[in-house]
Amino acid sequence: MTVQDAASAPDTGAVRTYLLGLQDRIVETLERLDGKRFLSDDWQRPAEGALRGDGRTRVLDDGDFFERGGVNFSHVVGDRLPPSASASRPELAGRGFEALGVSLVLHPRNPFCPTVHFNVRMLLATAPGVAPVFWFGGGMDLTPYYPFEEDCRHFHQACKDALDPFGADLYPRFKTWCDEYFYLKHRQEPRGIGGIFFDDFTGQGFDDAFGVMQSVGDAFLDAYVPIVERRRGMPFGEPERDFQAHRRGRYVEFNLVFDRGTHFGLQSGGRTESILMSMPPVVKWHYDWKPAPGSPEAKLYTDFLIRREWV
């Protein structure tokens, strides 16, 4: 781990200001799409014990379009890095930390509109007498039920466009990372059609890495909103809703079993309601269910839940 020079020293204040503005912009756009307002739940953890901080939870339940949506900001300070954060950096185990980020999950009611996950975050590891160590993480990924080629290509193109100014190697690298990360090993299948994912990222220093995070954050609405606008009027019935609920079960399995963000939040004593707001409100698990050959449901598995290049 290289120590960043003073000109590129980590600035959590600047990151916080950006993240709060990003949360506001996203919520305002989603409220226009849905027609209903998000519930606002600002919270603060007292400056006592091993964890302290504050956050802004924005949740929409039973909206006109979104069955469940959450856009959360949190900024917490702790005395000891949780195991999920130091697993790949054992030399940092035992350090204090500061973590802040925006995390979003949207579950539309219409099965022809995909679920989407997005987050951007920064973590700072601290210890007396040594320089702080920072890294950024985040990304976005799409989980369709009845997918369309043009939507998947659009989503990946928006991800690529966000990263290309910082190096042509970033999109293929982060795309592969996403494919490998959002994979249900016990099911031997991807969660969705991917996107980009990155973690432990320091770039060429704080300014460069922060720039990557901001570009990814700024790209989210352009990546997702056009897909919603194309598909939201498509008619659907109970068979499509049933398949959507079945596939949502895979989403829950990943979040609880594999997701580092969920593990970090729970291990650090974070706010459970905010951590688990990503769960869909209606989910089903069908025993040993398989789609009929040649059906639209089968096409999801044969044509989309596979490793492939989209752009």
Side-chain angles (χ1 to χ4, degrees), residues 70-108:
V71 187
N72 292 349
F73 165 81
S74 65
H75 186 175
V76 295
V77 180
D79 295 340
R80 188 180 183 87
L81 275 170
S84 60
S86 59
S88 61
R89 297 169 179 261
E91 74 278 9
L92 302 181
R95 289 198 183 191
F97 72 91
E98 188 172 355
L100 61 165
V102 165
S103 179
L104 169 157
V105 176
L106 301 172
H107 294 288

Side-chain angles (χ1 to χ4, degrees), residues 4 19 62 68 76 81-82 89 99 103 150 158-159 161 166-167 172 205 207 217 224 230 236 252 287 290 301 304 310:
Q4 292 73 33
L19 291 172
D62 196 27
R68 160 74 57 78
V76 295
L81 275 170
R89 297 169 179 261
S103 179
E150 65 176 312
C159 292
D161 291 345
F166 299 89
D207 293 339
Y224 184 63
R230 280 197 291 265
F236 61 91
V252 171
Y287 180 76
K290 302 222 176 15
Y301 293 89
F304 292 89
W310 294 101

